[in-house]
């Protein structure tokens, strides 16, 4: 792969051009990552409103009808319902792990089989989450794991 960067002070808006022989899964992944850079969510922490880049979010959880966004350093509350966030973020590397949780693929360090065909996911921050058996097969299929 060859990377070419042209710096021109006259350019008003950044443009990324990909020249390739065919659209491969690797190129699709690069495109997905570029699209993700512009995606942000709104969350509140200690009464203040924050704009959070979705690449910072490890997972999202719904507890007692409230939605929480988990990052490395903070837990933000969101006004958006979990099912809406799932719809918005599915194309950006998030997947449903259980009735109350969606996880970012980028935040997964490892997977381990658990009881009753569930999976235990260890995140990059060391936190462990359970993927229910209903969603475990879908996750393994998306990761290409048997």
């Amino acid at each position: 792969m060859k990377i070419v960067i042209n710096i021109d002070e006259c350019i008003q808006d950044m443009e990324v051009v990909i020249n390739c022989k065919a659209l491969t899964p690797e190129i699709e992944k690069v495109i997905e990552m570029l699209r993700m850079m512009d995606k942000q969510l709104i969350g509140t922490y200690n009464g203040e409103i924050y704009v959070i880049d979705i690449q910072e979010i490890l997972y999202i959880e719904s507890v007692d009808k409230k939605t929480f966004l988990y990052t490395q350093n903070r837990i933000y509350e969101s006004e958006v319902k979990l099912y809406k966030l799932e719809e918005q973020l599915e194309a950006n590397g998030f997947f449903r792990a259980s009735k109350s949780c969606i996880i970012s693929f980028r935040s997964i360090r490892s997977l381990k089989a658990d009881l009753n065909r569930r999976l235990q996911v260890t995140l990059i921050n060391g936190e462990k989450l359970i993927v229910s058996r209903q969603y475990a097969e879908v996750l393994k299929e998306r990761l290409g794991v048997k």
Side-chain angles (χ1 to χ4, degrees):
M1 175 182 2
K2 181 171 83 172
I3 299 174
V4 178
I5 301 173
N6 296 314
I7 300 173
D8 184 347
E9 293 179 10
C10 298
I11 295 175
Q12 296 296 316
D13 200 17
M14 180 177 62
E15 177 183 45
V16 176
V17 178
I18 299 173
N19 297 310
C20 58
K21 186 174 183 177
L23 189 61
T24 64
E26 291 82 13
I27 293 171
E28 288 177 346
K29 190 170 185 171
V30 169
I31 293 167
E32 180 181 312
M33 290 171 59
L34 289 168
R35 286 188 179 138
M36 225 175 8
M37 289 175 58
D38 288 338
K39 291 247 180 183
Q40 298 173 323
L41 295 176
I42 302 297
T44 57
Y45 178 79
N46 282 342
E48 291 185 54
I49 298 172
Y50 290 84
V51 179
I52 308 151
D53 291 331
I54 63 167
Q55 61 234 24
E56 292 181 38
I57 298 172
L58 303 176
Y59 69 99
I60 303 169
E61 185 177 39
S62 178
V63 179
D64 295 330
K65 297 184 181 181
K66 293 182 180 182
T67 305
F68 298 96
L69 313 172
Y70 293 79
T71 66
Q72 283 276 26
N73 304 315
R74 289 199 177 135
I75 302 169
Y76 300 91
E77 188 172 344
S78 173
E79 296 292 320
V80 184
K81 299 290 183 198
L82 190 67
Y83 75 93
K84 287 284 189 191
L85 290 170
E86 178 185 18
E87 290 171 4
Q88 291 175 13
L89 299 173
E90 186 174 27
N92 298 106
F94 284 77
F95 70 96
R96 176 71 76 154
S98 68
K99 190 173 86 173
S100 61
C101 182
I102 57 178
I103 300 173
S104 166
F105 277 111
R106 291 175 317 285
S107 68
I108 296 175
R109 180 186 298 154
S110 66
L111 300 172
K112 180 180 174 186
D114 200 37
L115 300 174
N116 297 328
R117 297 188 340 255
R118 299 182 311 173
L119 292 173
Q120 181 183 51
V121 174
T122 303
L123 303 180
I124 55 175
N125 66 350
E127 196 166 345
K128 296 181 187 318
L129 300 173
I130 296 294
V131 177
S132 69
R133 65 180 179 206
Q134 178 181 356
Y135 300 103
E137 291 304 316
V138 176
L139 172 60
K140 289 195 295 190
E141 191 175 295
R142 283 184 69 181
L143 291 173
V145 179
K146 294 188 179 201

